[in-house]
Amino acid sequence: LDSGVAYRDAGTFRRAPDLAATSFVPGYDFVANDDLPDDEYGQGTHVAAIIASSYNNAFRAAGMAHACSIMPVRVLGGDGSGTASAVASGIYYAADHGAKVINLSLASPRHSRAVADAVKYAHESGALCVAAAGNEGSDPGYPGGMDCPADEGSHVLAVGATDCRDVRAHYSNH
């Protein structure tokens, strides 16, 4: 779930070259409310490439799970922002349409009960929700003011960042 993915060639949209051989399954756009979750911001394509870049592509780097299929679910608009309602709807959609792993590289200025309930639903449906811990450099509780799906306890796997020394990056929540 993100800003969509550059998964197809149509109109002004072009499939990202590092996703040329990546398998895609149907997704949904909860911003435009249609079945064309094209990326107008770039974040979703960036994250999808880290996960599933095609093996032996022109960039010489395969994604961590290059043989997986990506279900593009757009919940963030062209400016990278979105609503808790869209995020929750996207989580339910992905869980109901067979997603085994749901990636959430996003945050919110406040906690959303709707997102929390959706994360719990996905967990109970057998999907693993993986969420960014956030970039405020704070500890659990996010006193930096941002709330993340990563704060949903045992229902989500929180992921932080490390630096070139393999220690927590100064900006990564922990």
Side-chain angles (χ1 to χ4, degrees), residues 7 24-30 34-37 70-74 93-94 97:
Y7 71 102
F24 289 92
V25 298
Y28 195 79
D29 185 334
F30 286 94
D34 63 29
D35 60 354
L36 303 172
I70 295 287
M71 177 189 301
V73 178
R74 183 174 177 231
Y93 177 91
H97 288 84

Side-chain angles (χ1 to χ4, degrees), residues 18 32 34 61-62 69 71 74 77 123 126 130 152 163 173:
D18 45 342
D34 63 29
S69 295
M71 177 189 301
R74 183 174 177 231
H123 172 78
V130 178
E152 298 307 327
D163 65 15
N173 289 359

Side-chain angles (χ1 to χ4, degrees), residues 49-73:
I50 291 169
I51 297 168
S53 285
S54 309
Y55 181 78
N56 203 19
N57 67 53
F59 298 100
R60 296 186 215 152
M64 298 299 292
H66 62 85
C68 76
S69 295
I70 295 287
M71 177 189 301
V73 178

Side-chain angles (χ1 to χ4, degrees), residues 83-167:
T83 65
S85 173
V87 173
S89 294
I91 294 168
Y92 284 112
Y93 177 91
D96 288 344
H97 288 84
K100 302 293 184 212
V101 178
I102 300 172
N103 185 75
L104 302 156
S105 295
L106 44 85
S108 171
R110 63 189 150 276
H111 185 264
S112 167
R113 181 68 187 177
V115 172
D117 290 346
V119 166
K120 182 178 179 188
Y121 174 84
H123 172 78
E124 291 171 350
S125 297
L128 171 63
C129 287
V130 178
N135 296 326
E136 288 75 43
S138 61
D139 60 4
Y142 309 105
M146 296 302 284
D147 188 73
C148 303
D151 195 27
E152 298 307 327
S154 63
H155 301 302
V156 66
L157 174 63
V159 178
T162 59
D163 65 15
C164 62
R165 297 168 294 152
D166 201 24
V167 298

